[in-house]
């Protein structure tokens, strides 16, 4: 058995900054409401034709591979987490294999929304642990902007999300006291419809009928979120799954050097910080700049924290996420 370690990290966000004031020009919202409820000041949106979920993932991956000093021919497997794939099928994993010129290695797509990167890391970790693969590229990337309801009808959801990508190279670690110590995954599908994008799902609908109806008011093409219900579940599940990971490794809350929560809402992160009595420099937040980038939020935040020197060798780093499904999970890392 081996452990896996994060050998390289990278992220990419589009240049186009969209402020809360910009949103208030197209829908009935305002900077004060958005900042007070979510902490978000601005987010990045792709410009039409300039980027896609795959292209951003590829850019983030190249940075991560450079930093890990891993060449394309040394990547053994790809795991790509997204809720906003370029195509309905095939998923973006194979597009990364193509665009990075990887060998004909396996490419797996993960569909776990805000928890996607945690699930993706967990899958990659198992392959490395067993010795099957040595270097795995793990990507989280999202284009939300093209799928949001940018009218006042969608304001409760649309002000939260942003576009971006993050990537990590996971590599074999022979020292079993280092690297990824454990991963913890959960789901509760009874709440699937509380945070959902129903279309273009095939559940009970025929594409021929959708095309025939061609209804511009069909809201199933926009994400739906029961915000307060999601919030209440998120704070409980975040806490539970962080504690589960710590207990598994005989660690205490006081052992956490850096908590990287999925950047869902600043108020959720602050709630966890207060509950666990963590200091400001123990919890990383960048939702102010990027909004909620779903599967990309943890790798972007992890990369920024690492780039800023806020994660050092020997640190205990905790990743945790909660989101649509519901799904949630955590990763405990000895850096
Ligand atoms: N601008 C101005 N007013 C708004 C906006 C907006 N963008 N959106 C909603 N409102 C109004 C509502 O219409 C409502 O008005 P009313 O009182 O006249 O009816 C009022 O603001 C309060 O609306 P709520 O939905 O009750 O607002 P709430 O305080 O719950 O905040 C929010 C909404 C931010 C979505 C919150 O519920 C939340 O953070 N939920 C957690 C979910 C989350 O973080 N999701 C992130 C994505 S999913 C994930 O990553 C887990």
């Amino acid at each position: 058995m081996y452990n896996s370690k994060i050998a390289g990290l990278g992220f990419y966000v589009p240049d186009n900054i969209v402020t809360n004031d910009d949103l208030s020009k197209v829908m009935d919202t305002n900077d004060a409401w958005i900042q007070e409820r979510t902490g978000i000041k601005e987010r990045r949106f792709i410009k039409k034709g300039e980027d896609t979920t795959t292209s951003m993932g590829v850019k983030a991956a190249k940075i991560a591979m450079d930093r890990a000093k891993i060449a394309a021919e040394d990547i053994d497997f790809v795991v790509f987490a997204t809720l906003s794939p370029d195509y309905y099928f095939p998923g973006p994993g194979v597009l990364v294999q193509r665009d990075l010129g990887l060998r004909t290695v396996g490419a797996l797509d993960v569909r776990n929304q805000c928890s996607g990167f945690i699930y993706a890391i967990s899958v990659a970790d198992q392959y490395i642990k067993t010795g099957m693969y040595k270097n795995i590229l793990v990507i989280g990337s999202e284009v939300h902007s093209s799928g949001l309801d940018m009218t006042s009808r969608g304001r409760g959801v649309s002000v939260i999300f942003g576009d971006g990508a993050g990537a990590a190279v996971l590599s074999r670690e022979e020292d079993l006291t280092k690297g990824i110590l454990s991963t913890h995954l959960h789901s509760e599908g009874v709440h699937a419809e509380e945070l959902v994008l129903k279309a273009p799902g095939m559940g009970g609908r025929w594409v021929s009928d959708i095309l025939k109806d061609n209804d511009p008011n069909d809201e199933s093409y926009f994400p739906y979120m029961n915000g307060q219900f999601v919030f209440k579940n998120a704070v409980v599940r975040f806490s539970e799954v962080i504690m589960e990971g710590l207990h598994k490794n005989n660690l205490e809350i006081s052992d956490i050097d850096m908590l990287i929560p999925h950047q869902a809402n600043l108020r959720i992160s602050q709630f966890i910080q207060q509950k666990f009595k963590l200091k400001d420099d123990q919890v990383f937040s960048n939702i102010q700049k990027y909004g909620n980038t779903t599967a990309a939020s943890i790798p972007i935040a992890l990369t920024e924290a690492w780039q800023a020197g806020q994660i050092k060798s020997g640190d205990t780093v905790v990743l945790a996420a909660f989101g649509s499904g519901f799904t949630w999970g955590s990763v405990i890392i000895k850096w």
Side-chain angles (χ1 to χ4, degrees):
M1 286 284 275
Y2 303 98
N3 269 6
S4 61
K5 66 176 175 199
I6 294 183
L9 286 165
F11 82 98
Y12 170 84
V13 289
D15 292 335
N16 181 32
I17 296 173
V18 176
T19 64
N20 295 340
D21 285 338
D22 292 331
L23 293 183
S24 70
K25 290 177 192 139
V26 296
M27 64 179 79
D28 180 15
T29 190
N30 57 76
D31 180 53
W33 191 96
I34 300 172
Q35 283 209 50
E36 188 196 317
R37 308 284 174 130
T38 70
I40 299 166
K41 296 182 179 178
E42 57 191 42
R43 73 286 292 140
R44 306 296 178 100
F45 281 178
I46 59 161
K47 286 198 167 152
K48 262 185 199 170
E50 279 186 10
D51 261 313
T52 67
T53 293
T54 301
S55 75
M56 293 196 299
V58 165
K59 287 174 190 171
K62 282 182 177 164
I63 298 169
M65 287 162 64
D66 275 356
R67 287 174 171 168
K69 298 187 174 54
I70 298 286
E73 56 268 27
D74 295 324
I75 295 290
D76 300 319
F77 195 66
V78 177
V79 191
F80 200 122
T82 189
L83 61 70
S84 50
D86 295 10
Y87 304 135
Y88 196 73
F89 73 81
V94 298
L95 306 181
V96 167
Q97 183 276 329
R98 177 191 69 192
D99 293 351
L100 284 176
L102 307 182
R103 292 174 289 119
T104 55
V105 298
L108 178 72
D109 299 294
V110 167
R111 295 292 312 273
N112 290 86
Q113 299 70 246
C114 301
S115 312
F117 194 75
I118 299 282
Y119 269 74
I121 287 273
S122 180
V123 169
D125 181 46
Q126 309 315 307
Y127 282 129
I128 290 179
K129 269 195 165 61
T130 57
M132 183 162 171
Y133 297 131
K134 223 169 172 180
N135 300 303
I136 301 183
L137 187 53
V138 184
I139 301 172
S141 180
E142 304 285 4
V143 172
H144 282 298
S145 54
S146 59
L148 296 171
D149 180 355
M150 298 302 282
T151 69
S152 297
R153 183 181 64 182
R155 66 182 182 171
V157 175
S158 301
V159 300
I160 292 174
F161 294 100
D163 302 340
V169 175
L170 256 63
S171 295
R172 182 184 288 180
E173 167 64 66
E174 306 214 352
D175 180 346
L176 297 185
T177 66
K178 281 196 197 155
I180 293 176
L181 302 181
S182 63
T183 63
H184 307 270
L185 306 177
H186 295 278
S187 72
E188 193 177 22
V190 69
H191 300 311
E193 281 80 20
E194 303 293 348
L195 180 46
V196 63
L197 176 63
K198 289 193 173 170
M202 306 290 182
R205 306 212 313 172
W206 264 247
V207 170
S208 52
D209 288 341
I210 294 169
L211 292 174
K212 193 169 66 206
D213 294 346
N214 198 18
D215 177 3
N217 295 314
D218 185 350
E219 289 181 41
S220 64
Y221 281 87
F222 295 119
Y224 165 80
M225 176 172 71
N226 180 348
Q228 292 188 1
F229 187 73
V230 172
F231 193 103
K232 283 177 195 153
N233 278 267
V235 292
V236 172
R237 297 308 192 182
F238 263 110
S239 307
E240 274 178 15
V241 82
I242 292 168
M243 290 312 298
E244 181 184 350
L246 292 174
H247 285 152
K248 170 82 183 168
N249 295 286
N250 297 318
L251 296 167
E252 306 288 337
I253 290 170
S254 56
D255 292 315
I256 298 176
D257 294 300
M258 178 57 77
L259 169 64
I260 311 265
H262 161 53
Q263 307 288 301
N265 181 322
L266 190 60
R267 286 163 60 214
I268 294 178
S269 300
Q270 287 170 339
F271 184 96
I272 307 297
Q273 180 178 345
Q274 281 159 16
K275 184 170 175 190
F276 286 180
K277 298 190 173 57
L278 295 169
K279 293 196 260 11
D280 284 351
D281 62 1
Q282 288 173 288
V283 183
F284 194 81
S285 293
N286 61 4
I287 191 169
Q288 300 88 336
K289 294 189 289 182
Y290 305 125
N292 179 340
T293 56
T294 317
S297 96
I298 288 181
I300 294 174
L302 186 59
T303 306
E304 280 206 328
W306 174 78
Q307 285 178 178
Q310 288 179 256
I311 298 176
K312 300 172 299 300
S313 179
D315 279 357
T316 298
V317 177
V318 178
L319 316 179
F322 175 87
S324 163
F326 291 154
T327 58
W328 62 101
S330 64
V331 178
I332 311 292
I333 307 170
K334 192 68 159 173
W335 206 265

